[in-house]
Amino acid sequence: MSFSTGYLTTREIKIWDLRRQGHTQAGIGKILKITRQAAFKALGIIDSKVEQAFTEAAKTNGLEIKRLYIEEGIMQAYSPAHKIPVIISLSKVNGLRIWYMHEGDCKVCVHGSSCREFLIGEAKERGLELSEDDFSLPPSLMALRVFSKYLGEN
């Protein structure tokens, strides 16, 4: 297990993903051929591990935690050092990642294509359809579209 996967085992990632897709504990049990009680217990363990990973990521990066969306794999935070909002995301496709909501010059940044891939993966995994206009945005603005649901709430 690693920090980048939220300390989740392969099986726990499967259970967590099934819940994110909208399956109930009974539905998860049926799919995985386990009892509803086993799914309930596993989800409790998973939530604890995800919360620990988010908390450690925030602490390691000097971030203030604002709000935690464990089931969705999102933490809303704030960077006092940079004075900007931050999103910490945990997903199957990207693992645990930190996104600083900044207004950088994405045209000259060497990370532009990897940032774009990250954001497209997050949108897809979270069921968010991006428009053609969204795809043409620089990553710093695309991030506003992808993470808008989690910004501004305290």
Side-chain angles (χ1 to χ4, degrees), residues 108-120:
V108 298
C109 180
V110 298
H111 302 290
S113 62
S114 64
C115 289
R116 186 175 301 285
E117 286 176 30
F118 161 72
L119 293 165
I120 291 169

Side-chain angles (χ1 to χ4, degrees), residues 56-148:
E56 288 183 16
K59 183 178 179 181
T60 301
N61 289 278
L63 304 174
E64 296 174 2
I65 299 169
K66 296 296 182 184
R67 187 150 182 192
L68 184 58
Y69 304 84
I70 290 178
E71 290 185 18
E72 296 180 49
I74 293 284
M75 175 185 276
Q76 177 190 2
Y78 179 76
S79 171
H82 301 293
K83 297 180 176 48
I84 55 174
V86 177
I87 295 293
I88 302 176
S89 170
L90 178 64
S91 65
K92 280 187 348 182
V93 68
N94 292 313
L96 188 85
R97 297 278 297 265
I98 299 173
W99 185 270
Y100 289 80
M101 301 300 294
H102 67 288
E103 293 183 25
D105 188 355
C106 296
K107 292 176 187 171
V108 298
C109 180
V110 298
H111 302 290
S113 62
S114 64
C115 289
R116 186 175 301 285
E117 286 176 30
F118 161 72
L119 293 165
I120 291 169
E122 288 295 311
K124 184 176 180 181
E125 186 164 324
R126 296 173 191 291
L128 176 64
E129 289 189 37
L130 297 174
S131 70
E132 288 299 318
D133 290 339
D134 293 330
F135 282 106
S136 66
L137 293 172
S140 60
L141 296 177
M142 185 187 286
L144 291 173
R145 172 80 167 99
V146 173
F147 296 124
S148 64

